Amino acid sequence: MDIKPTVLIIEDEEAICNFISAILTSNNYQVVKAKTGKEGLSMFTSYVPDIVLLDLGLPDIDGVEILKNIRQWSKTPVIVVSARGHEREKVAALDFGADGYIVKPFGTSELLARIRTAMRHSSQGAGEEVSGQEKVIIGTLEIDYNKRVVYKDGEKIHLTSIEYKLLVLLSKNAGKVLTHDFIIREIWGVYTDESHTLRVNMANIRRKIEANPGAPQYILTEMGVGYRMAEEVTEGV
Ligand code: CA
């Protein structure tokens, strides 16, 4: 994989913005810059960056407001860039879902380390995921996360990309009820009304992995709430 992660820098001070941009560009990141909050939000939607560096002191919109706005529909990691001594702002930013903060002035290695950490957390996904887990076996279902292959009764099964993502999300949170909204946000990113699409995809997955899709043993329906993947399944009993 050689796709450069895109970093959106929302920062009104040109010197700082250029400093960050130079470091990131030379470390294999792609950089998009915004000087105001308004510009930042619009670039966020058009570029869908992998991570955001957000200055809290912007000329037009308060940084925390921008964060709240982003968090309404996106889990993209946001690192807050703040001035020394603004503790309350930083706590507020973390409360509203910032993934970390960095205090000006900062150096190259500190900046890169913050970005790596935030991106690692976000790629681990939500919830209880055990980091470094390579595969999971539930009953006669085996999901190999490294190879991105799913086996049922030892046979490889064919899934669409969305079906696979759903199965990964559910299996990594096995035993836990995941709400419809949570699943939709995790898979489709933006909260739109994808509940019908979700149902259709779940039905398709069940047809592929359940002995009797009408009485599922692997993916259980939590009526009116969401879905839960069983932690253990004994088939044929
Ligand atoms: Ca500023």
Side-chain angles (χ1 to χ4, degrees):
M1 278 255 286
D2 198 20
I3 300 163
K4 292 181 179 182
T6 303
V7 183
L8 169 62
I9 308 171
I10 310 177
E11 166 70 76
D12 61 317
E13 281 163 80
E14 209 174 340
I16 293 176
C17 192
N18 290 340
F19 168 71
I20 297 175
S21 172
I23 294 171
L24 295 182
T25 309
S26 63
N27 281 277
N28 237 8
Y29 291 93
Q30 197 156 337
V31 172
V32 192
K33 299 188 250 185
K35 284 200 178 79
T36 63
K38 204 167 161 247
E39 200 188 343
L41 284 172
S42 106
M43 289 179 108
F44 184 87
T45 7
S46 42
Y47 287 90
V48 193
D50 297 291
I51 190 160
V52 178
L53 290 177
L54 172 66
D55 175 25
L56 287 181
L58 291 166
D60 57 342
I61 312 173
D62 185 63
V64 174
E65 292 304 317
I66 294 173
L67 176 67
K68 282 196 228 169
N69 194 311
I70 291 175
R71 277 291 169 270
Q72 280 171 12
W73 51 280
S74 165
K75 301 190 81 172
T76 300
V78 175
I79 297 175
V80 156
V81 181
S82 79
R84 197 165 293 284
H86 292 208
E87 311 304 323
R88 259 183 36 203
E89 276 185 340
K90 269 185 311 207
V91 173
L94 290 172
D95 279 344
F96 286 111
D99 298 85
Y101 60 84
I102 189 161
V103 179
K104 296 181 209 176
F106 47 82
T108 306
S109 52
E110 196 185 355
L111 174 67
L112 293 171
R114 289 286 195 288
I115 291 179
R116 275 196 303 272
T117 306
M119 291 202 31
R120 193 164 55 237
H121 284 164
S122 85
S123 67
Q124 273 173 7
E128 312 293 296
E129 180 177 336
V130 183
S131 72
Q133 193 181 350
E134 289 175 1
K135 63 165 91 169
V136 66
I137 298 172
I138 301 168
T140 60
L141 180 73
E142 179 181 336
I143 306 165
D144 189 320
Y145 301 129
N146 280 349
K147 294 185 190 147
R148 299 170 65 88
V149 179
V150 179
Y151 301 93
K152 182 70 210 304
D153 300 314
E155 304 257 314
K156 204 167 164 177
I157 60 167
H158 296 282
L159 296 166
T160 66
S161 165
I162 286 181
E163 288 165 8
Y164 177 73
K165 282 182 191 165
L166 283 166
L167 203 52
V168 168
L169 179 66
L170 285 159
S171 63
K172 288 188 170 179
N173 291 283
K176 204 170 133 190
V177 179
L178 303 181
T179 67
H180 296 125
D181 284 5
F182 175 82
I183 297 171
I184 290 166
R185 274 201 309 272
E186 287 291 314
I187 304 297
W188 284 274
V190 180
Y191 183 69
T192 51
D193 192 10
E194 296 286 351
S195 47
H196 175 71
T197 320
L198 176 60
R199 270 201 307 279
V200 170
N201 276 284
M202 284 301 185
N204 290 339
I205 296 173
R206 279 172 169 161
R207 258 200 300 281
K208 294 172 185 180
I209 67 167
E210 302 281 358
N212 176 4
Q217 290 181 289
Y218 289 90
I219 300 176
L220 312 168
T221 298
E222 298 286 331
M223 210 52 92
V225 182
Y227 297 94
R228 176 170 59 89
M229 183 120 201
E231 283 176 286
E232 281 174 37
V233 170
T234 318
E235 269 190 291
V237 177

